[in-house]
Amino acid sequence: MSSPRPAPAGTGPRVPFLRPSVVRKEAYLQYLAAIDDARWYSNYGPLNTEFERRVRERWFQGRGAVTTVCNATIGLMLAIAESRRPGARYAVMPSFTFAATPLAAMWCGLTPYFVDVRPGDWCPDETQVARLVDELGSELAVVVPYATFGTALDLAPYARLVERGVPVVVDAAPGFGTRHLGRYYGDGFPGTVVFSLHATKAFGIGEGGLVYSADPARIARVRQAANFGFSDAREALGQGLNGKLPELGAAVALATLDDYPAKTATRRRIDGWYRQLFAEHGLLARGFALQQTVGEVPTQFLSAVCPPGRPRAEILGGLAAGGIECRTYFSPACHEQAAFRQAPRQPLPLTEDLAPRILSLPLWEEMTEADVSDVVRELARA
């Protein structure tokens, strides 16, 4: 086995965790010129409108509607506010998610109610969700499942909830571009799906988000609320805020659309290298595990768990000593964080086993197979 390559002194990790890859300026200069010509910089301008049109036609086959937002957290807030049952208290969601999910519910005046995840794909436990739907009754405001790390969470049970009158907002922050059974994720869903366009995501534009639903009226209400609740006569008809995506962001987004198939293919190829090398180095046999994703996922980073009984700090320390930068999404889980410790919860045995063992490994588009090999080799030595 070859020795690891040393990191140059003073240059940081040899293999950083993320190196965001937004399209180069040459790809969107034409759109910047269009902004200058139109002098339209925000307020659902022509570039934003064109981006939404292309996404609806290309990603969702012309079904439903989509609206941009300035970021995905605002998108979650607006979608929850639009969907929630009036007077109800609870937003049911997994604890194994990013803090933005419960925070969005709290900004809407709701209390997060945490459920556990399933083994394997780490998505919400639908059995607990179904039980809470029945137990909470009229106190249930909305269900907010998380499509964990971009995997194609099965939306069929949640579509049935929407048909029963139970509001559902899917947090699919890293999942824009995930494909399953020949369709992009979220296509045709009657509730609401929220995607992130943050720079660290596969479809990164710097900052931004998308909200989709098969119900155009639902998106029209989200869009109105993102523009101060204004009617066409600029009269505020309800609670709103400024959640619009600037035209500069739409320019980058339009340029990214053309580049995105190549970006997602690159990320899936790197994910494949990891999975192959995990097996070749015997890590799976030694108790490491990888997330069992569904569909073609534009992987943001490689999610693994450490073997039971192995202190994660030792593994992280060994990786850091070898020049490998890692993270631990999502640890602590939400119910362990100060802002949410008082929130009600179902039993969370899988979350409480998963969170202390989760390991997020580097994945960025310029990574070579040699880089991935270095990461896995250092992990095997740690």
Side-chain angles (χ1 to χ4, degrees):
M1 183 180 294
S2 61
S3 299
R5 294 174 294 173
T11 61
R14 176 162 49 89
V15 182
F17 176 57
L18 290 180
R19 294 187 66 190
S21 181
V22 176
V23 293
R24 304 293 293 179
K25 62 181 182 299
E26 292 78 11
Y28 55 84
L29 285 177
Q30 60 175 317
Y31 298 115
L32 298 185
I35 294 173
D36 288 343
D37 291 343
R39 297 193 182 185
W40 196 334
Y41 303 101
S42 188
N43 293 352
Y44 304 126
L47 296 187
N48 182 84
T49 301
E50 177 63 11
F51 175 64
E52 291 174 341
R53 185 193 69 78
R54 290 189 194 178
V55 167
R56 179 177 177 271
E57 294 302 318
R58 189 183 304 181
W59 258 252
F60 304 114
Q61 303 179 73
R63 286 187 283 260
V66 62
T67 188
T68 57
V69 284
C70 57
N71 62 66
T73 305
I74 292 293
L76 284 170
M77 290 168 55
L78 293 169
I80 290 170
E82 184 280 327
S83 302
R84 59 168 294 178
R85 287 168 164 167
R89 296 178 55 195
Y90 296 112
V92 171
M93 64 184 65
S95 175
F96 192 72
T97 187
F98 190 54
T101 317
L103 286 171
M106 292 169 68
W107 276 107
C108 293
L110 302 178
T111 299
Y113 201 128
F114 294 122
V115 298
D116 207 2
V117 293
R118 305 182 301 217
D121 66 0
W122 313 332
C123 287
D125 182 341
E126 287 115 337
T127 302
Q128 286 191 358
V129 172
R131 183 163 59 245
L132 279 178
V133 168
D134 292 336
E135 290 179 0
L136 295 176
S138 61
E139 288 290 279
L140 173 64
V142 63
V143 175
V144 191
Y146 172 55
T148 307
F149 302 136
T151 192
L153 166 71
D154 184 6
L155 293 179
Y158 299 102
R160 290 193 289 269
L161 287 179
V162 175
E163 291 167 2
R164 289 173 50 190
V166 177
V168 177
V169 174
V170 180
D171 181 349
F176 186 63
T178 293
R179 286 179 62 86
H180 184 48
L181 301 177
R183 298 170 68 176
Y184 282 106
Y185 190 68
D187 184 11
F189 184 65
T192 314
V193 186
V194 180
F195 302 99
S196 174
L197 307 182
H198 189 271
T200 58
K201 302 297 189 289
F203 196 105
I205 68 170
E207 188 67 273
L210 279 169
V211 185
Y212 168 80
S213 177
D215 180 357
R218 189 181 300 281
I219 295 302
R221 291 190 291 271
V222 169
R223 188 182 186 86
Q224 183 178 61
N227 190 29
F228 306 101
F230 280 162
S231 67
D232 291 341
R234 295 183 64 79
E235 175 189 3
L237 300 180
Q239 189 173 23
L241 48 74
N242 184 0
K244 300 183 295 294
L245 182 72
E247 285 286 87
L248 290 170
V252 179
L254 281 167
T256 304
L257 278 178
D258 295 330
D259 193 44
Y260 200 45
K263 289 168 70 71
T264 56
T266 296
R267 288 177 172 273
R268 290 197 301 271
R269 182 169 64 252
I270 297 169
D271 181 279
W273 290 338
Y274 264 119
R275 293 176 186 273
Q276 178 181 344
L277 289 166
F278 257 69
E280 290 179 1
H281 283 263
L283 292 177
L284 301 178
R286 289 166 50 186
F288 286 92
L290 298 171
Q291 183 191 17
Q292 298 170 14
T293 56
V294 176
E296 301 170 12
V297 180
T299 312
Q300 181 183 5
F301 45 76
L302 199 284
S303 298
V305 287
C306 302
R310 280 286 308 277
R312 183 179 61 187
E314 292 182 5
I315 295 173
L316 287 169
L319 289 167
I324 311 299
E325 184 180 29
C326 298
R327 294 285 186 271
T328 55
Y329 290 94
F330 303 106
S331 181
C334 286
H335 74 283
E336 300 169 315
Q337 299 178 34
F340 317 117
R341 284 182 191 144
Q342 302 306 311
R345 69 195 70 153
Q346 290 284 286
L348 305 173
L350 287 173
T351 299
E352 291 175 348
D353 176 67
L354 174 62
R357 296 197 292 130
I358 195 71
L359 190 62
S360 309
L361 298 175
L363 198 156
W364 30 274
E365 289 159 27
E366 294 85 1
M367 283 185 81
T368 65
E369 191 169 3
D371 291 325
V372 176
S373 181
D374 282 352
V375 174
V376 176
R377 182 176 55 242
E378 293 296 344
L379 187 60
R381 291 176 172 179

